[in-house]
């Protein structure tokens, strides 16, 4: 698969995106062993970094942070390598060898992303307050599945039902966020001059 | 919030034209409630995105576990087959070596290492005693009669009786053929499975006796029979290094077959 086809499949979202991700995962799995050898990390750590790197890579494509300026594999390896370095840095006993990229080399954007990611991960607890079907339906929608696909995946009558269900579920989530003053906190940040 | 939701969703989906977008931005800047709903929508969208991200991550983690399991199974399978394969090779090699060894020794059977007893049996021959009979004028004298009787018994294979006759003769101080008597008595003892006694008598034969070479040969054989490798080797070496010993070649053969001694 060419890089452009790969990017197009990710941007299409839904089932096609997930098939492409799975294939990419398997095709590049040898990198896990390479990183285990290169950084002297244990299997579980590298596996975690690998899936984390693929998730980040896919998001960067979907949200247009990666526009195909370098080869997909090269770009992915950089992300994966950085994830492995993060693990090494967390392990005080691990000595970083001369081949390890310093944090400065990662650039401020990536560092900021990591910080934001950690801050935002806590918000998903609000999603888990929804019913199972609501949660799954909203995540399917976020992943770019069509309403027809969402209906089939979640056992709904048709796309129209799925659309209406999605609307209700999303409103439920907004209500939960409102009740927890999530928006007020962000509004204060806006009034303090921060952009969103 | 109801109306706001539809507008906000249209904005996020990119369904607004430039005019609508400009109006949307103006409203967002001036209407605090609208701005809150906008932010709420955006935040909810972000929460769902993070949830989907976590779901994808979980799915990939599971893929990793199964991939590792497959890798482990395939690695195990490879090693298992390899091990199985090497066992087969090892077994084949052992069989081939066994066959080769068997074939080689079938073609060259003489190269097996004999025991000392087997060597004794291979080389031992009972010396004839016909010429030892006393003839002539003294044949009727008592000692000569006893001698001839002993030799007769010996020739007929009556080794116990012959040995007794030889012992009587040797006990008589007037008996002069002591070396010959000692030699045949030694042979009698070898034939009656008393090699230690045979050694005593072979050792007592005078070095100047005409039976000296026979005595050393049978002495060496007696040591073989007693399983005394060290002494047997010494005597066979003496025979082998002796220039004119009539058993020189046989002694060399035996020394080649004997194991090394310290």
């Amino acid at each position: 698969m060419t890089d452009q086809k790969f990017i197009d499949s990710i941007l299409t979202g839904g089932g096609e995106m997930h098939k492409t991700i799975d294939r990419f995962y398997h095709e590049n799995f040898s990198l896990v062993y390479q990183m285990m050898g290169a950084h002297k990390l244990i299997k579980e750590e590298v596996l975690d970094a690998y899936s984390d790197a693929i998730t980040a890579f896919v998001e960067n494509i979907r949200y247009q942070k990666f526009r195909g300026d370098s080869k997909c594999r090269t770009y992915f390896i950089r992300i994966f390598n950085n994830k492995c370095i993060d693990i090494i840095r967390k392990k005080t006993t691990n000595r970083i060898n001369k081949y390890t990229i310093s944090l400065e080399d990662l650039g401020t954007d990536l560092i900021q992303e990591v910080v934001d990611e950690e801050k935002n991960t806590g918000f998903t607890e609000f999603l888990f307050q929804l019913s199972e079907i609501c949660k799954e339906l909203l995540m399917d929608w976020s992943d770019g599945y069509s309403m027809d696909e969402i209906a089939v995946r979640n056992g709904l009558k048709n796309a129209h039902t799925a659309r209406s269900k999605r609307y209700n579920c999303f409103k439920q989530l907004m209500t939960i966020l409102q009740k927890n003053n999530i928006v007020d906190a962000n509004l204060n940040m806006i009034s303090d001059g921060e952009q969103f | 919030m109801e109306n706001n939701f539809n507008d906000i969703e249209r904005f996020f989906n990119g369904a607004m034209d430039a005019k609508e977008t400009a109006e949307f931005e103006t409203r967002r800047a001036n209407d605090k409630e609208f701005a809150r709903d906008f932010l709420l929508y955006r935040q909810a969208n972000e929460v769902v995105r993070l949830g989907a991200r976590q779901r994808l991550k979980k799915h990939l983690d599971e893929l990793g576990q199964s991939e590792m399991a497959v890798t482990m199974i395939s690695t195990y399978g490879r090693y298992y087959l390899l091990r199985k394969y090497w066992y087969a090779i090892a077994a084949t090699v052992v069989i081939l070596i066994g066959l080769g060894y068997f074939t080689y020794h079938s073609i060259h059977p003489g190269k097996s290492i004999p025991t000392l007893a087997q060597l004794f049996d291979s080389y031992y021959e009972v010396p004839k005693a016909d010429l030892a009979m006393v003839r002539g004028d003294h044949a009727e004298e008592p000692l000569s009669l006893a001698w001839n009787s002993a030799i007769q018994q010996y020739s007929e294979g009556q080794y116990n009786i012959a040995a007794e006759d030889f012992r009587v003769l040797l006990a008589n101080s007037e008996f002069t053929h002591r070396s010959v008597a000692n030699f045949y008595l030694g042979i009698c003892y070898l034939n009656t499975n008393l090699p230690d006694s045979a050694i005593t008598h072979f050792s007592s034969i005078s070095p100047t006796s005409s039976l000296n070479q026979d005595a050393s040969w049978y002495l060496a054989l007696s040591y073989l029979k007693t399983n005394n490798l060290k002494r047997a080797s010494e005597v066979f070496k003496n025979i082998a290094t002796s220039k004119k010993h009539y058993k020189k070649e046989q002694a060399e053969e035996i020394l080649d077959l004997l194991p090394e001694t310290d």
Side-chain angles (χ1 to χ4, degrees):
Chain A
M1 183 183 278
T2 63
D3 276 7
Q4 194 51 55
K5 269 192 175 179
F6 175 80
I7 292 167
D8 289 344
S9 297
I10 297 295
L11 290 174
T12 302
E16 192 179 335
M17 177 183 79
H18 278 280
K19 272 186 204 168
T20 306
I21 293 170
D22 284 3
R23 190 188 302 168
F24 184 85
Y25 187 97
H26 291 297
E27 282 177 357
N28 293 280
F29 198 76
S30 59
L31 290 171
V32 170
Y33 296 105
Q34 285 178 32
M35 288 295 176
M36 279 167 73
H39 295 300
K40 305 275 182 285
L41 292 169
I42 60 169
K43 179 186 76 184
E44 286 74 15
E45 293 170 334
V46 181
L47 272 181
D48 186 55
Y50 184 64
S51 55
D52 222 16
I54 290 182
T55 310
F57 177 45
V58 168
E59 281 211 329
N60 286 358
I61 293 172
R62 291 193 73 197
Y63 299 102
Q64 320 258 312
K65 287 178 188 171
F66 173 68
R67 296 169 192 274
D69 299 332
S70 59
K71 281 191 169 183
C72 284
R73 189 177 151 86
T74 310
Y75 182 76
F76 169 71
I77 290 172
R78 255 180 56 206
I79 298 173
F80 184 28
N81 193 50
N82 290 342
K83 296 280 181 192
C84 289
I85 293 163
D86 289 345
I87 297 169
I88 297 168
R89 288 184 183 281
K90 282 175 189 170
K91 292 168 74 172
T92 51
T93 50
N94 268 22
R95 291 178 61 193
I96 298 169
N97 66 31
K98 61 180 177 178
Y99 301 110
T100 307
I101 303 166
S102 69
L103 198 62
E104 288 72 25
D105 294 335
L106 297 177
T108 50
D109 291 347
L110 274 173
I111 299 166
Q112 190 58 45
E113 262 176 43
V114 173
V115 174
D116 290 345
E117 208 174 278
E118 284 172 0
K119 191 179 77 181
N120 289 335
T121 307
F123 289 140
T124 53
E125 72 179 79
F126 302 119
L127 182 68
F128 289 92
Q129 290 178 24
L130 295 172
S131 66
E132 189 64 24
I133 188 167
C134 266
K135 195 174 63 186
E136 288 298 318
L137 190 147
L138 288 178
M139 288 192 290
D140 283 354
W141 169 67
S142 179
D143 274 352
Y145 283 99
S146 69
M147 283 301 162
D148 285 320
E149 284 178 309
I150 291 172
V152 172
R153 280 169 61 84
N154 294 283
L156 299 172
K157 198 175 173 183
N158 50 39
H160 179 73
T161 314
R163 190 171 291 108
S164 133
K165 184 83 179 165
R166 200 279 301 176
Y167 177 82
N168 289 329
C169 292
F170 197 80
K171 298 263 314 252
Q172 279 178 38
L173 179 62
M174 286 171 71
T175 307
I176 291 168
L177 291 176
Q178 196 169 22
K179 278 182 184 170
N180 285 277
N181 299 320
I182 299 301
V183 179
D184 289 340
N186 280 321
L187 271 175
N188 292 334
M189 281 166 66
I190 296 164
S191 59
D192 288 344
E194 281 194 37
Q195 292 297 309
F196 53 88
Chain B
M1 186 167 158
E2 201 74 31
N3 288 333
N4 291 348
F5 185 89
N6 289 331
D7 287 342
I8 292 165
E9 188 143 271
R10 285 188 67 232
F11 173 81
F12 274 104
N13 288 340
M16 287 183 171
D17 58 25
K19 190 185 169 195
E20 282 179 308
T21 306
E23 284 173 4
F24 183 90
E25 291 293 357
T26 308
R27 194 181 165 195
R28 206 182 100 196
N30 300 321
D31 186 340
K32 200 167 181 179
E33 192 186 336
F34 184 75
R36 177 185 281 125
D37 285 349
F38 173 84
L39 202 59
L40 203 56
Y41 183 97
R42 195 182 123 120
Q43 195 64 56
N45 221 1
E46 182 65 5
V47 167
V48 175
R49 184 189 70 81
L50 289 169
R53 183 194 167 108
Q54 280 182 12
R55 186 175 70 170
L56 175 63
K57 171 81 165 60
K58 193 181 167 199
H59 166 72
L60 294 177
D61 286 342
E62 286 164 2
L63 269 188
Q65 292 304 325
S66 59
E67 183 81 32
M68 273 290 180
V70 168
T71 309
M72 276 176 68
I73 289 165
S74 86
T75 307
Y76 174 77
R78 261 201 313 273
Y79 278 108
Y80 176 77
L81 288 173
L82 199 66
R83 207 166 52 198
K84 196 175 172 186
Y85 184 60
W86 277 105
Y87 278 139
I89 285 179
T92 309
V93 167
V94 168
I95 290 167
L96 285 176
I97 289 171
L99 281 173
Y101 183 84
F102 178 76
T103 309
Y104 180 81
H105 284 282
S106 299
I107 296 166
H108 305 93
K111 209 55 195 170
S112 59
I113 300 167
T115 61
L116 299 187
Q118 284 171 334
L119 271 178
F120 174 85
D121 291 338
S122 301
Y123 285 87
Y124 179 70
E125 285 178 8
V126 180
K128 291 192 170 18
D130 298 345
L131 295 175
M133 294 288 276
V134 177
R135 298 175 188 278
D137 298 340
H138 305 288
E140 300 300 322
E141 291 178 6
L143 280 175
S144 296
L145 283 171
W147 173 255
N148 284 340
S149 169
I151 294 299
Q152 185 66 37
Q153 296 296 335
Y154 176 91
S155 300
E156 290 173 2
Q158 300 296 321
Y159 299 113
N160 281 323
I161 300 168
E164 182 59 32
D165 288 345
F166 287 127
R167 278 196 296 270
V168 170
L169 285 166
L170 286 168
N172 191 325
S173 57
E174 292 179 8
F175 181 69
T176 52
H177 305 296
R178 307 193 74 82
S179 289
V180 185
N182 274 317
F183 176 76
Y184 287 109
L185 180 57
I187 299 295
C188 287
Y189 282 136
L190 273 182
N191 286 327
T192 53
N193 210 23
L194 295 166
D196 289 320
S197 298
I199 287 167
T200 307
H201 289 278
F202 292 134
S203 301
S204 65
I205 293 168
S206 164
T208 57
S209 165
S210 60
L211 287 170
N212 182 49
Q213 288 195 2
D214 295 283
S216 61
W217 172 249
Y218 284 99
L219 176 65
L221 289 176
S222 301
Y223 282 126
L224 284 183
K225 198 160 174 78
T226 57
N227 217 27
N228 190 336
L229 173 66
K230 191 179 174 187
R231 295 289 296 138
S233 295
E234 284 172 5
V235 182
F236 281 124
K237 276 177 191 167
N238 286 337
I239 297 168
T241 52
S242 170
K243 284 181 183 173
K244 292 182 179 175
H245 202 292
Y246 80 110
K247 290 288 187 183
K248 182 180 168 70
E249 284 182 17
Q250 287 92 328
E252 286 169 351
E253 284 173 12
I254 291 171
L255 284 170
D256 283 344
L257 296 168
L258 288 178
E260 289 291 321
T261 54
D262 297 332

